[in-house]
Amino acid sequence: MAAWHALIRGHGGMMRKLEAELQAAHGLSLAAYEVLAHVSEAPDRRLRMSDLTTCSQLSPSGLTRLVDKLVRDGLVERVRCAADARVVYAALTERGLEQLEAAYPTHLRGVRAHAIDRWDRDERDTVACALGKLADLPPH
Amino acid sequence: MAAWHALIRGHGGMMRKLEAELQAAHGLSLAAYEVLAHVSEAPDRRLRMSDLTTCSQLSPSGLTRLVDKLVRDGLVERVRCAADARVVYAALTERGLEQLEAAYPTHLRGVRAHAIDRWDRDERDTVACALGKLADLPPH
DNA sequence: GCCCATCATTTGCAACTGCAAGTGTCTGCG
DNA sequence: CGCAGACACTTGCAGTTGCAAATGATGGGC
């Protein structure tokens, strides 16, 4: 139970700090950053909405609205799929790529400072393994 | 970095499941449950708003509104402090205590099923220790 | 070729949150 | 005493989120 409380508090505190830093330095929420990051890693730097839903922490509707915002901000474009008119790709724009590359060091530094650097190798491995066991895919 | 991703995903998935179960079985959000639990553990089963803010994951305004809701639902009462008129206690009502006692087994079972039981003793200890290191108190 | 179940995504809506500003209270210093 | 500044909490407001329903599209069975 102590482990559970530590998980709640630790996670919460870390997330708030990361979020605040990213917001202050680049005007990006953590959710937005993660979407940009996922998209940038995909082939052609574009990803279907449904794939984004799977790898993000958002429900489909939440993702739709976040992408709306990213489109408004010019970081992403919606591209209809030629083969299947139901699907929409979120595609990184030039500006989106620049923004992501600018934010990346901030984020990496934050994750290190607030999490990874506080653990030794053994803790890192155990956390990765233990937390990995919680992740049977969620029904949003 | 793998550890970090596992943390995000694992935590998110677990929380969604706990939240859904608690909601379905007792109509309580996880945040509400945690507030009730903290209050119930305090002397006289009442706690100052500011102390609740400290131990919960909520901002002061968020907490005010959550307590509003708990008061509406009859689970908690606001009690002004005689010694300092600025201070308000959230005090558990009889009904609040019953509700909490009803929800407790569900929650405990959930935490076990979705987290603790998936770890061996060593993982539990390491998670508690490692996550505990992330928790320098957050500026909400 | 037509329909129906299914799928990918979006929208209406209501709930939850945090920030900044507001209210009322206390406290210490002149 | 009286008041400036700190404190405990609440409110106005705007942004984010999820659920359920709507929209538009596909594809298999007949």
Side-chain angles (χ1 to χ4, degrees):
Chain A
M1 262 309 183
W4 189 71
H5 282 108
L7 176 56
I8 303 300
R9 296 187 65 101
H11 177 274
M14 181 193 67
M15 290 310 245
R16 267 189 295 277
K17 284 180 278 185
L18 286 178
E19 175 92 40
E21 289 169 3
L22 211 56
Q23 192 66 248
H26 306 281
L28 279 179
S29 70
L30 201 45
Y33 176 87
E34 301 211 317
V35 164
L36 293 180
H38 280 301
V39 172
S40 80
E41 285 163 9
D44 294 337
R45 297 210 244 274
R46 59 198 179 75
L47 212 48
R48 301 166 48 152
M49 295 297 281
S50 54
D51 292 334
L52 270 175
T53 300
T54 306
C55 65
S56 78
Q57 299 290 309
L58 289 168
S59 67
S61 61
L63 182 67
T64 288
R65 288 189 238 265
L66 177 50
V67 170
D68 285 347
K69 177 175 149 48
L70 293 176
V71 169
R72 277 198 304 280
D73 294 348
L75 307 182
V76 145
E77 283 170 343
R78 278 196 169 87
V79 180
R80 300 205 72 91
C81 173
D84 185 338
R86 290 171 302 181
V87 331
V88 175
Y89 293 97
L92 213 56
T93 62
E94 195 55 42
R95 194 160 135 44
L97 184 58
E98 289 165 15
Q99 178 79 289
L100 178 62
E101 285 173 346
Y104 176 70
T106 304
H107 181 246
L108 184 60
R109 195 177 327 118
V111 173
R112 285 199 205 286
H114 303 310
I116 299 185
D117 286 351
R118 300 181 179 203
W119 301 331
D120 60 34
R121 164 167 299 283
D122 182 49
E123 286 171 332
R124 272 200 290 273
D125 292 347
T126 305
V127 167
C129 173
L131 276 288
K133 292 178 184 171
L134 310 186
D136 29 40
L137 33 148
H140 281 298
Chain B
M1 262 310 180
W4 189 70
H5 282 109
L7 177 55
I8 304 299
R9 296 187 65 102
H11 177 275
M14 181 193 65
M15 289 310 244
R16 267 188 296 277
K17 283 179 278 185
L18 286 178
E19 175 91 40
E21 289 169 3
L22 211 54
Q23 193 66 248
H26 307 280
L28 279 179
S29 70
L30 200 46
Y33 177 87
E34 301 212 316
V35 164
L36 293 180
H38 281 301
V39 172
S40 80
E41 285 163 9
D44 293 340
R45 295 210 247 274
R46 58 199 180 77
L47 213 46
R48 300 167 46 152
M49 295 297 281
S50 55
D51 292 334
L52 270 175
T53 300
T54 305
C55 65
S56 78
Q57 299 290 310
L58 289 169
S59 67
S61 61
L63 182 67
T64 288
R65 288 189 238 265
L66 176 50
V67 170
D68 284 348
K69 177 175 149 48
L70 293 176
V71 169
R72 277 199 305 278
D73 294 348
L75 307 182
V76 146
E77 283 171 343
R78 277 194 170 87
V79 180
R80 301 205 71 90
C81 172
D84 184 339
R86 291 171 303 180
V87 171
V88 175
Y89 293 97
L92 212 58
T93 62
E94 195 55 41
R95 194 160 134 46
L97 184 58
E98 287 165 16
Q99 178 79 290
L100 178 61
E101 285 173 346
Y104 176 71
T106 303
H107 181 245
L108 184 60
R109 196 177 326 119
V111 172
R112 286 199 206 284
H114 302 311
I116 299 186
D117 285 351
R118 300 181 178 203
W119 300 333
D120 60 34
R121 165 168 299 282
D122 182 50
E123 285 172 331
R124 273 200 289 272
D125 293 347
T126 305
V127 166
C129 174
L131 276 289
K133 292 178 183 170
L134 309 185
D136 29 40
L137 37 145
H140 282 299

